[in-house]
Amino acid sequence: MLVAVDIGNTNIHLGLFDQDSRCLINHFRVSASDTHLKDLSVDPSILQEASDCVLASVNPRAENAFCNWLHPRWKGRLLRVPVDVPVSIPILVRNPDKIGTDRLLNALAAFQRTAAATIVIDAGTAVTIDAVSEKGEFIGGVIAPGLETLKEALHLRTAFLPRVSVQRPRRVLGRDTNEAIKSGLYWGMVGLVEKITKKLLEEQVNTPTVLATGGDAELLANEIQIIDEIVPHLTLEGILTAYCRHFNSKDV
């Protein structure tokens, strides 16, 4: 068994994988703003089944909170991506060391699934839309604000606009302020993701498979027909793939 931990800007995801079958046995999620991780109710016996814990983070504060939570519960080896476990994917962009680990892990896991040119949409705090070549190379992408980020920005940068829950509105035309905000956020994000993805598809020589992941992937995918598949735990799968490749595990 392997414990994979994806620490993002909004949430911390913890997955328990069977390395032989590559199956996700169990999954836990907690808010990255929970500094004591009170809501991360993982049975200690689950952790004891694992050989290693592999952690990837884009959020140093939440990473520190997680490590404080993990320390009394974990006696095994804690490995970090990419310091201890490199992401073995060619990176064909300027300043490759500046590319977020989560984007590279998504690309690695996507190519592991498709073995073909792929576009990965990660709809989270930020929306990233990245391209992987038919040779499994990370060739670049697009970064935009996510739904929750846009919602907060709209509330904080205006005097009277309220926070709203983001969901698919019943109609585009808003009959009050809340409906108007919901419509603008939802349909604006659908339009952004769909238009950018279509433009990226036009630039590729081969026709890529389009995968979507992240907290808002399912919300958006119903309206974006060019998405071929939703993969909820793609980043965790990337951690597993990076670990297996680094330690020359079988089945990889």
Side-chain angles (χ1 to χ4, degrees):
M1 297 292 181
L2 177 75
V3 176
V5 184
D6 168 30
I7 301 179
N9 291 298
T10 302
N11 292 304
I12 297 173
H13 295 269
L14 185 150
L16 181 69
F17 284 94
D18 181 305
Q19 292 184 54
D20 291 330
S21 66
R22 299 182 63 86
C23 288
L24 182 65
I25 305 301
N26 218 329
H27 170 259
F28 306 88
R29 182 182 69 178
V30 67
S31 171
S33 62
D34 183 358
T35 56
H36 300 290
L37 275 63
K38 299 183 295 296
D39 296 329
L40 187 54
S41 54
V42 180
D43 185 340
S45 65
I46 292 176
L47 295 177
Q48 292 168 12
E49 296 178 23
S51 56
D52 286 324
C53 178
V54 186
L55 181 153
S57 173
V58 296
N59 186 337
R61 183 195 55 76
E63 178 183 351
N64 184 61
F66 177 81
C67 289
N68 289 338
W69 174 90
L70 183 68
H71 179 70
R73 298 169 174 83
W74 177 257
K75 304 305 177 186
R77 185 166 58 166
L78 175 61
L79 304 170
R80 288 177 168 82
V81 180
V83 176
D84 305 307
V85 179
V87 184
S88 55
I89 182 172
I91 308 171
L92 306 187
V93 300
R94 292 188 294 272
N95 304 315
D97 57 315
K98 301 295 185 182
I99 303 298
T101 302
D102 53 343
R103 297 173 68 192
L104 297 179
L105 288 168
N106 285 344
L108 183 69
F111 190 73
Q112 176 74 19
R113 278 177 164 266
T114 67
T118 310
I119 288 177
V120 182
I121 301 166
D122 190 344
T125 308
V127 170
T128 58
I129 308 173
D130 292 317
V132 185
S133 76
E134 68 279 2
K135 298 179 181 179
E137 304 153 327
F138 180 90
I139 56 176
V142 175
I143 301 174
L147 271 172
E148 288 296 315
T149 303
L150 288 175
K151 180 185 80 172
E152 285 301 299
L154 196 61
H155 171 69
L156 294 173
R157 298 287 293 181
T158 61
F160 297 109
L161 295 183
R163 286 189 178 93
V164 298
S165 60
V166 182
Q167 56 196 27
R168 186 188 189 281
R170 290 177 294 177
R171 53 180 174 262
V172 176
L173 183 68
R175 299 297 181 88
D176 57 34
T177 299
N178 279 16
E179 284 187 358
I181 294 172
K182 290 178 181 180
S183 185
L185 290 172
Y186 179 81
W187 293 113
M189 184 55 60
V190 166
L192 180 150
V193 172
E194 185 172 38
K195 183 66 173 181
I196 291 174
T197 304
K198 284 182 176 179
K199 297 296 288 185
L200 287 177
L201 287 168
E202 291 172 5
E203 291 182 356
Q204 308 309 307
V205 175
N206 299 300
T207 302
T209 301
V210 180
L211 304 183
T213 192
D216 292 320
E218 194 164 344
L219 178 66
L220 300 174
N222 289 333
E223 301 294 337
I224 304 175
Q225 301 305 312
I226 53 176
I227 293 175
D228 296 303
E229 184 181 0
I230 301 172
V231 186
H233 306 299
L234 191 66
T235 312
L236 291 177
E237 290 183 16
I239 294 172
L240 172 68
T241 301
Y243 173 88
C244 290
R245 288 191 177 184
H246 182 59
F247 290 103
N248 297 314
S249 176
K250 62 181 181 179
D251 301 328
V252 177

